[in-house]
Amino acid sequence: MEIQKQKISLTVSLFKFKMIYSKVKMFKGKGIKTNEVDIDKDWYVYYSYRNPYTDKMERFIVKAGINTITSVTKRNIAIKYLQQGVTCWLQDGYNPFTENTKLEDINKTTYTIAEALQLAFTEKCKVWAETTKHSHRSLFNVFIGWINENNLTKKNIEDLTKRHISLFLNNLTTKNEITSITRNNYRRLVVSLIQQLVNDDILKQNFTNSIPKHKEVPKKNKPFTKLQLIDIKKYLLANDPYLFKYIQFVMYAFLRPIEVTRIKVENIDLIRGIIEVKTKTEDSSTVLIIDKLRSVIETLDIDYKKNNYHIFTNEFKPALWNTSREKSKTDFFIRRFKKLKNKLNLNNDYGIYSFRHTFALDLYNSFLKQGLTQLESKHKLMTITRHKSMSGLENYLRDIGAELPKDYSSDFTIDF
C-alpha cells in the first residue's frame, strides 16, 4: 500500500522576550561648566523595572546616603559598592512593586516619625557596641514614649523640629529631676538618630546639633588612703580572695574593671611579658606584665586551659563566659565589692575604679620622691597609664588630687 505524503502547514509563533529590569547604572553629578564630577551635586545609581500593571519600564533611583561622603575617592568607591548591591538585590528577585517583599522599599520617600526613628535606631544598633546598644535602648524607649504621648507618632518625619526635641529634654529635666549627664545622654542619642536619617537621605539636615549640652559634673571615685587599703586587703584575703586577684589586675595593669573581664587565656603571653586587651579607646592595647602582676597570673591556673576561656568568670576560675550584656560581668564583681563597702562603711565615693586612682597617685608621688621633676614623672607615668596625651594625664592627676600646690603660707604679704 502506497503511503501518500501530505504537506502540513506549520505556523510557529515567535514571542519577543521582555526584560524585567535593566542594568544598574551610576550617575555622578557634574559641574555645568567644567563637566567634571562634583561632590556638591547628587550622585546615585538608577535602573528601570517593568511595572506589572502597566507593562511599562519605570525608572528608580537609589542614593543610600552616599552624598554625605565628602571625598571624591571614597564616594567613587561607595557608588560602585551601591551599584553592585542593588544589582544583587535585583538578581535575587527584588521587585520594587511588590508590597510584601522582605527587602525594604529603597524608593520609599515618606516616613512617619515613628517609622523613621525606628529605622535610624535599627541602623545604629548595627555599629554600636553591645553595652551601648543596651543602654541606648532604654533611652530610646523613653523618647518614643514621649513621641506617642504628644501625638507625633503618625506625623511625617519632616514635621519633627528642634522645638520638639527641646521640649522632650526640658520635660525630662523638670519631671524626673535627672542629672546633666543623663540629660546629655538623651541628647546624644537623639542627635545620632537624626544624623542617621540625614545620612540615609531621609532628612536634609541635623537640626539637633545646635541644642546645647548641659554642663556635666561627673561623680568620680576617690583614691583610698593607706589605712583604708590595709583594712580592704585584710577583708578580701579572709572573705573574697578571688575578688582580691581581680582588683590586683586593676591596680598593677592599670586596667578598667570591664577591661579585666575581657581578658582571655589567649591574650596573656608570659614569655613576652605582655597582655593584649581591648580598652576604652583601642581594639587592642598592649599591657606590660610586671613582676607583681606575673605572681597573680601564676595563681590563676590558666595553663592548659582553652584559648577562648576568660580568666575571670562567675565560676571563680578560667572558663567560657558569654553574656548578652557585657556590663553584667563587671556587675558580678561590683556586687561582691559592695559587701566589702558595707562591712567597712565606705560610701559611694569609692568603687573598684578607686584602686586604679590610688596606685596612679602612689606611683606619681614615688617618682617625685626619687628626684624626678614633675614633667619627668608625668612622662614616665604616661607610659604606664597609657594616656594618649599629656593634657589628658594632667587632667586625670588633678581629678585624683595629685596636682596640689606646696604650702604658700610664707608667700602672703598681708597679716590678717
Side-chain angles (χ1 to χ4, degrees):
M1 182 177 178
E2 185 179 352
I3 300 175
Q4 294 182 349
K5 296 181 179 180
Q6 295 180 345
K7 291 184 178 180
I8 300 176
S9 177
L10 182 63
T11 301
V12 179
S13 298
L14 297 176
F15 296 92
K16 184 177 180 180
F17 176 75
K18 293 182 179 180
M19 293 181 61
I20 300 177
Y21 59 86
S22 68
K23 181 179 179 181
V24 181
K25 297 181 180 180
M26 295 183 289
F27 176 83
K28 303 178 183 179
K30 294 184 178 181
I32 298 175
K33 295 181 179 180
T34 61
N35 201 35
E36 295 180 353
V37 293
D38 186 353
I39 57 174
D40 291 328
K41 304 287 184 180
D42 271 359
W43 293 26
Y44 53 82
V45 300
Y46 62 96
Y47 66 95
S48 295
Y49 201 101
R50 190 171 300 282
N51 189 317
Y53 308 106
T54 65
D55 203 41
K56 293 180 179 180
M57 297 292 281
E58 294 187 15
R59 190 179 186 187
F60 292 87
I61 291 175
V62 187
K63 297 179 183 178
I66 61 173
N67 293 307
T68 61
I69 302 172
T70 57
S71 162
V72 174
T73 302
K74 291 182 179 179
R75 194 182 288 190
N76 270 317
I77 295 172
I79 197 170
K80 287 179 182 178
Y81 281 133
L82 181 59
Q83 181 190 38
Q84 293 171 7
V86 175
T87 299
C88 288
W89 280 9
L90 293 170
Q91 291 173 345
D92 288 342
Y94 174 69
N95 181 349
F97 294 100
T98 303
E99 292 182 356
N100 297 324
T101 179
K102 292 182 180 179
L103 293 171
E104 178 191 354
D105 183 1
I106 56 178
N107 300 286
K108 183 169 181 172
T109 57
T110 60
Y111 293 85
T112 66
I113 291 176
E115 288 175 337
L117 292 175
Q118 184 59 59
L119 176 64
F121 184 77
T122 300
E123 288 302 310
K124 295 300 292 184
C125 282
K126 294 177 182 178
V127 296
W128 281 334
E130 194 62 39
T131 304
T132 304
K133 193 187 306 181
H134 179 83
S135 61
H136 280 14
R137 182 173 285 110
S138 59
L139 302 181
F140 178 72
N141 290 338
V142 173
F143 180 43
I144 290 296
W146 185 87
I147 293 292
N148 292 336
E149 289 174 5
N150 290 273
N151 301 318
L152 296 171
T153 307
K154 295 183 179 180
K155 289 185 177 294
N156 191 296
I157 183 61
E158 293 182 354
D159 293 332
L160 188 67
T161 66
K162 174 184 174 182
R163 177 60 179 160
H164 288 129
I165 308 305
S166 296
L167 286 172
F168 165 66
L169 295 174
N170 292 342
N171 181 69
L172 284 173
T173 307
T174 304
K175 186 177 180 180
N176 302 322
E177 298 182 351
I178 62 173
T179 65
S180 294
I181 295 176
T182 305
R183 183 260 185 198
N184 288 344
N185 286 339
Y186 276 103
R187 177 196 173 276
R188 190 178 299 111
L189 169 68
V190 176
V191 170
S192 67
L193 294 178
I194 299 302
Q195 186 57 51
Q196 182 65 45
L197 295 178
V198 173
N199 295 345
D200 291 341
D201 282 348
I202 294 174
L203 289 177
K204 293 181 180 179
Q205 62 178 351
N206 192 336
F207 50 82
T208 59
N209 280 324
S210 58
I211 297 176
K213 298 178 182 178
H214 281 190
K215 184 178 179 181
E216 297 182 3
V217 183
K219 183 79 173 177
K220 297 186 178 181
N221 290 150
K222 291 181 179 179
F224 294 112
T225 65
K226 289 187 177 180
L227 288 177
Q228 286 174 324
L229 285 178
I230 292 173
D231 291 338
I232 290 170
K233 182 177 180 180
K234 182 179 178 180
Y235 174 89
L236 289 175
L237 290 177
N239 300 281
D240 202 337
Y242 192 67
L243 178 60
F244 181 64
K245 295 176 183 179
Y246 174 82
I247 289 174
Q248 285 179 305
F249 265 76
V250 175
M251 297 187 306
Y252 296 138
F254 286 90
L255 292 170
R256 298 172 180 85
I258 197 168
E259 293 166 355
V260 177
T261 62
R262 290 174 183 156
I263 302 175
K264 298 180 179 180
V265 173
E266 62 188 358
N267 300 135
I268 297 178
D269 188 338
L270 289 173
I271 297 176
R272 295 169 59 200
I274 60 171
I275 299 173
E276 298 286 344
V277 62
K278 179 181 178 182
T279 65
K280 182 179 180 180
T281 57
E282 295 178 310
D283 285 336
S284 181
S285 181
T286 303
V287 178
L288 176 69
I289 299 177
I290 63 174
D291 289 341
K292 285 182 176 294
L293 186 58
R294 183 182 291 270
S295 300
V296 179
I297 294 173
E298 289 173 351
T299 67
L300 293 176
D301 190 29
I302 64 172
D303 294 336
Y304 310 110
K305 294 293 189 299
K306 293 182 179 180
N307 283 338
N308 62 340
Y309 275 19
H310 293 85
I311 63 170
F312 285 101
T313 70
N314 55 350
E315 297 181 26
F316 302 94
K317 64 179 181 180
L320 281 176
W321 195 10
N322 296 321
T323 60
S324 59
R325 190 169 66 97
E326 188 179 40
K327 189 177 180 298
S328 64
K329 295 180 180 180
T330 53
D331 288 344
F332 172 78
F333 290 99
I334 289 172
R335 285 193 297 271
R336 302 187 70 79
F337 187 69
K338 185 85 165 46
K339 296 178 181 179
L340 176 149
K341 289 176 62 175
N342 292 338
K343 185 69 176 179
L344 302 182
N345 295 318
L346 296 173
N347 59 30
N348 290 331
D349 290 335
Y350 301 98
I352 294 178
Y353 219 111
S354 295
F355 292 99
R356 191 172 187 263
H357 302 335
T358 305
F359 276 67
L361 183 61
D362 182 65
L363 278 181
Y364 181 66
N365 289 329
S366 177
F367 294 153
L368 292 175
K369 290 178 181 178
Q370 293 170 25
L372 298 181
T373 65
Q374 284 190 334
L375 185 59
E376 289 171 335
S377 299
K378 290 174 184 176
H379 276 293
K380 191 170 182 179
L381 187 63
M382 192 172 171
T383 63
I384 298 171
T385 61
R386 299 181 298 282
H387 280 87
K388 296 300 180 184
S389 66
M390 181 59 70
S391 61
L393 175 63
E394 288 174 340
N395 289 335
Y396 174 70
L397 290 174
R398 278 194 293 271
D399 287 341
I400 63 175
E403 294 281 76
L404 295 177
K406 295 180 180 179
D407 190 338
Y408 46 87
S409 298
S410 60
D411 295 323
F412 286 117
T413 60
I414 300 173
D415 186 15
F416 186 76

